[in-house]
Amino acid sequence: MSLSSGVGRRFFALCGNGFYRKAEFATLGKIFEREPSRKITQTSFRLTSAEIRMAHTMVKTTWVTSKDETRELMAVWPDVVRDLTEAGRHLDIPDVTKWMAKVLQYNVPAGKKTRALTLVYAYRTLIPPDQLTEENIRLTRILGWCMEMLHAFFLILDDIQDGSQIRRNQPCWYLQNNIGLAAVNDGLMLESAIYQLLRTHLKGKDCYLEIMELLQETTMKTVMGQCLDLLSTNFGYYTFVLPVTVAMYLADIRDPEMHRQAKTILLEMGHFFQVQDDFLDSYGDPEVTGKNGTDIQEGKCTWLIVVALQRATPEQRKILEACYGSKDPEKVKLVKRLYNDIGLPNTYSIYEEETYNLLNTHIQQISRGLPHDLFLNLLEKIYRRVS
């Protein structure tokens, strides 16, 4: 990406003005207030021992047994595929039915299933014990797969737009057997399948309309976020807000203040999750993350480049302007070396600890009857994650 291009000028103008996220990284701002110099060393900023203890002892219960729940989730998956392919058989289009099954199997179950697990865990936490029936849990798992299908739909389109090569340690769907832009239709097929599942399993229940509208609203916001991504930013809305809100509706929790408090915390958590993603793109192990780290090559407006632009000397900024957004491996190396020179790994480590503690505090301040452990365990799940 050349700075002489309109896109390049807009990118650096937006990033330089902190447009990346309008909250302007409140926690990062606190760090800069404590240490305004260009490089923050480990000795120039320390959390107190009390803060460290608080961060690591506040969660009293553990995240839902992920291996067990993942196994139960996968046990439901063949039924989900059968439900969706049965609809195609009724229309007497066997070739499309077989293709849909292939699209589903390749794109949906291979991920970490964070959103589905979050939904099931949130529902288990929120529902009264006498309503925790096998039938209700099975329905929740099916809705969890709806979350995963929505995620897969976004990823298929995102990979095409970004020209990505690898997703979840396998070639992106559009690169399979020269599928190319036909993959756009496959993504849309996944999105339509979500509402087929809702009609099959949720229609007639009190929460049907609310959940359907929530999914549609989330899709609209994410598509708008993708538009911003192409212009210089992105947002992660549906990772936490969507599954927990669906669980609340399933548990018949409709109090507007409870939803407002949950959304506030979950948006903060989603922001934290997105910054982690940005960092892992450049500093994570591709074998673990399943990504090929292309944010620099694609000129994405990430947390890393925003902080780099805020702290770069005039000479360093010239390097960023010349190299950022280029697919030239040598220029990518120069950007990564500059990140290290500016001290971004250390700054990120400080940011992560600060944000973790801040979120813990905000969760403890929730006063509308929502269980703190629900949010504390979600936070613990993503704290210091490597993928």
Side-chain angles (χ1 to χ4, degrees):
M1 177 191 69
S2 170
L3 189 60
S4 61
S5 71
V7 173
R9 285 193 296 272
R10 180 171 64 240
F11 169 80
F12 276 90
L14 290 173
C15 286
N17 290 327
F19 184 78
Y20 174 53
R21 291 176 180 90
K22 292 181 181 179
E24 193 51 53
F25 308 119
T27 303
L28 185 64
K30 289 170 60 181
I31 295 172
F32 288 150
E33 288 172 12
R34 295 191 189 189
E35 176 51 68
S37 63
R38 294 200 176 274
K39 289 190 178 180
I40 300 178
T41 63
Q42 194 64 37
T43 58
S44 65
F45 175 62
R46 294 183 185 277
L47 296 171
T48 66
S49 58
E51 287 175 321
I52 295 293
R53 285 195 300 273
M54 180 188 78
H56 290 281
T57 62
M58 193 165 292
V59 178
K60 296 180 181 178
T61 58
T62 58
W63 168 262
V64 63
T65 49
S66 296
K67 289 184 179 179
D68 292 341
E69 184 51 56
T70 299
R71 186 165 55 248
E72 296 294 337
L73 204 59
M74 288 303 302
V76 174
W77 176 242
D79 296 335
V80 171
V81 175
R82 184 173 59 251
D83 285 346
L84 294 172
T85 52
E86 281 293 333
R89 290 191 187 98
H90 292 160
L91 295 173
D92 195 24
I93 43 176
D95 290 343
V96 175
T97 297
K98 290 178 183 177
W99 184 256
M100 172 177 266
K102 187 173 182 179
V103 173
L104 287 165
Q105 296 289 10
Y106 191 92
N107 292 286
V108 181
K112 297 187 292 292
K113 293 172 273 293
T114 299
R115 292 151 191 86
L117 290 170
T118 298
L119 171 55
V120 176
Y121 169 66
Y123 181 75
R124 286 182 178 276
T125 304
L126 294 169
I127 200 74
D130 62 322
Q131 296 180 30
L132 206 58
T133 64
E134 277 301 314
E135 181 183 356
N136 286 343
I137 289 295
R138 185 176 183 279
L139 174 61
T140 306
R141 288 174 180 143
I142 291 171
L143 291 179
W145 282 117
C146 288
M147 307 296 104
E148 294 304 310
M149 288 162 60
L150 184 68
H151 186 46
F153 158 56
F154 291 141
L155 292 181
I156 287 174
L157 299 187
D158 186 64
D159 287 341
I160 294 170
Q161 290 171 319
D162 290 347
S164 299
Q165 302 293 309
I166 300 295
R167 174 67 67 180
R168 295 170 173 171
N169 292 316
Q170 59 184 3
C172 295
W173 175 246
Y174 78 99
L175 295 175
Q176 278 289 102
N177 299 319
N178 297 314
I179 291 172
L181 292 180
V184 172
N185 192 69
D186 296 335
L188 294 171
M189 191 158 55
L190 286 181
E191 184 194 22
S192 298
I194 294 167
Y195 297 100
Q196 175 66 34
L197 283 176
L198 291 184
R199 283 192 297 272
T200 302
H201 296 282
L202 212 60
K203 192 171 183 179
K205 295 185 180 293
D206 292 341
C207 58
Y208 174 54
L209 181 60
E210 290 163 319
I211 290 176
M212 184 175 67
E213 289 182 344
L214 178 63
L215 281 162
Q216 290 173 337
E217 178 190 7
T218 301
T219 300
M220 182 186 72
K221 287 183 176 179
T222 306
V223 169
M224 289 180 173
Q226 180 66 4
C227 180
L228 285 169
D229 185 36
L230 297 173
L231 292 175
S232 292
T233 183
N234 69 51
F235 295 89
Y237 178 83
Y238 64 94
T239 302
F240 296 105
V241 176
L242 177 61
V244 174
T245 304
V246 168
M248 291 174 72
Y249 283 134
L250 278 174
D252 200 28
I253 296 173
R254 289 177 167 78
D255 184 308
E257 181 59 20
M258 293 178 77
H259 277 268
R260 187 197 67 78
Q261 289 189 12
K263 185 177 180 180
T264 298
I265 293 294
L266 294 166
L267 283 174
E268 291 180 18
M269 208 174 292
H271 176 263
F272 181 34
F273 190 86
Q274 183 61 55
V275 173
Q276 290 177 317
D277 259 7
D278 291 351
F279 182 79
L280 290 172
D281 188 86
S282 288
Y283 287 97
D285 181 353
E287 294 297 319
V288 177
T289 63
K291 302 174 185 177
N292 55 346
T294 57
D295 283 353
I296 294 173
Q297 294 96 312
E298 293 165 6
K300 291 293 185 69
C301 190
T302 66
W303 182 88
L304 291 167
I305 189 62
V306 169
V307 178
L309 286 168
Q310 288 173 335
R311 302 174 65 186
T313 64
E315 292 75 18
Q316 289 171 328
R317 187 182 181 92
K318 287 179 181 178
I319 293 174
L320 290 173
E321 291 175 357
C323 299
Y324 199 79
S326 169
K327 297 187 185 299
D328 182 342
E330 292 305 313
K331 289 186 177 181
V332 173
K333 287 180 183 178
L334 282 173
V335 172
K336 287 187 176 181
R337 188 181 308 155
L338 190 148
Y339 281 174
N340 290 331
D341 291 343
I342 290 177
L344 289 188
N346 187 55
T347 302
Y348 171 78
S349 179
I350 294 168
Y351 163 84
E352 186 172 43
E353 290 294 328
E354 279 270 301
T355 304
Y356 178 79
N357 287 339
L358 188 63
L359 276 165
N360 267 306
T361 300
H362 287 176
I363 290 167
Q364 294 292 345
Q365 292 170 346
I366 291 176
S367 59
R368 193 69 177 191
L370 290 168
H372 291 175
D373 279 356
L374 165 61
F375 302 97
L376 291 171
N377 288 330
L378 289 176
L379 177 60
E380 192 70 14
K381 179 68 175 177
I382 64 172
Y383 177 55
R384 289 185 175 176
R385 69 187 179 96
V386 295
S387 66

